[in-house]
Amino acid sequence: HWSVDNYGNGRTPVLGAIIAAFQGHHSAPWTIADRAFCNNVHKLCIPFGIPTILAINFLFNPATSLFFSIFCAMEVMSQEFHKWSHMSKEKVPPLVNVLQDAGVLIGRKAHTLHHVSPFDGNYCIVSGATNDWLDDSGVLRMLEHRVYQTNGVESNAWKLDPALRERTLAGNYGPPV
């Protein structure tokens, strides 16, 4: 969710509602835990829901269609997985605790690291398995640099942390030393 945290706003075509929800979530992260399933996932059904899956099924062979159908379904469910990382162990189904403890789904402690300003790391909200690699490799900082070089748009993380902006523009993409 690096892109929706850092670029666009509520007026962005197609993804605006999702962008606004992700960016707004940083100011009130606990509210996600109180949402019913449909209220939590409905915004993701616009770009990843039934019309997209139907289009994929008409455009691609069965194996590719299956892959993208599962991808779209998991993209919608990612918001529910994310919600569970904000809930206490007592409030989620027992299987969720098992999956979080095993690292299959993102756990509470790991996801809490993302909710620290300037919200510049730990973006993976499904399992968190690639968070360390993404943060340590600097690949997302490098992408921010490329976006800025291409169109002059600064990431929101840069706006919250001028030192991050300066490090990135200097080509220092890894974590600060």
Side-chain angles (χ1 to χ4, degrees):
H1 80 265
W2 162 81
S3 62
V4 294
D5 268 8
N6 282 291
Y7 298 100
N9 57 46
R11 295 181 311 278
T12 301
V14 182
L15 298 176
I18 294 169
I19 292 169
F22 269 92
Q23 292 175 2
H25 174 66
H26 291 150
S27 60
W30 60 90
T31 60
I32 193 173
D34 296 326
R35 293 186 198 141
F37 175 78
C38 289
N39 185 22
N40 193 34
V41 303
H42 78 278
K43 290 177 184 172
L44 287 168
C45 290
I46 295 167
F48 298 106
I50 293 171
T52 302
I53 292 173
L54 287 174
I56 289 166
N57 283 311
F58 284 114
L59 295 173
F60 298 105
N61 65 55
T64 304
S65 294
L66 178 62
F67 170 81
F68 281 111
S69 295
I70 292 170
F71 175 85
C72 288
M74 290 298 99
E75 183 66 32
V76 170
M77 285 302 299
S78 71
Q79 187 64 358
E80 195 71 2
F81 302 154
H82 175 213
K83 176 177 99 173
W84 292 332
S85 73
H86 285 276
M87 298 172 69
S88 67
K89 285 185 174 269
E90 298 77 33
K91 292 190 177 181
V92 299
L95 180 59
V96 170
N97 289 318
V98 170
L99 294 172
Q100 286 177 333
D101 291 343
V104 175
L105 296 179
I106 188 88
R108 293 155 196 84
K109 288 180 183 176
H111 184 59
T112 298
L113 296 172
H114 173 70
H115 283 280
V116 176
S117 185
F119 315 105
D120 64 339
N122 295 289
Y123 288 107
C124 301
I125 60 172
V126 175
S127 75
T130 58
N131 275 334
D132 289 342
W133 180 82
L134 286 169
D135 293 346
D136 293 343
S137 71
V139 68
L140 298 176
R141 298 291 82 81
M142 185 268 308
L143 288 172
E144 290 169 1
H145 196 178
R146 297 296 178 261
V147 167
Y148 181 73
Q149 288 174 325
T150 302
N151 61 21
V153 175
E154 295 186 11
S155 90
N156 288 335
W158 291 12
K159 295 170 189 171
L160 294 169
D161 185 354
L164 174 64
R165 178 186 188 276
E166 294 309 313
R167 282 194 318 272
T168 304
L169 290 177
N172 299 324
Y173 302 136
V177 258

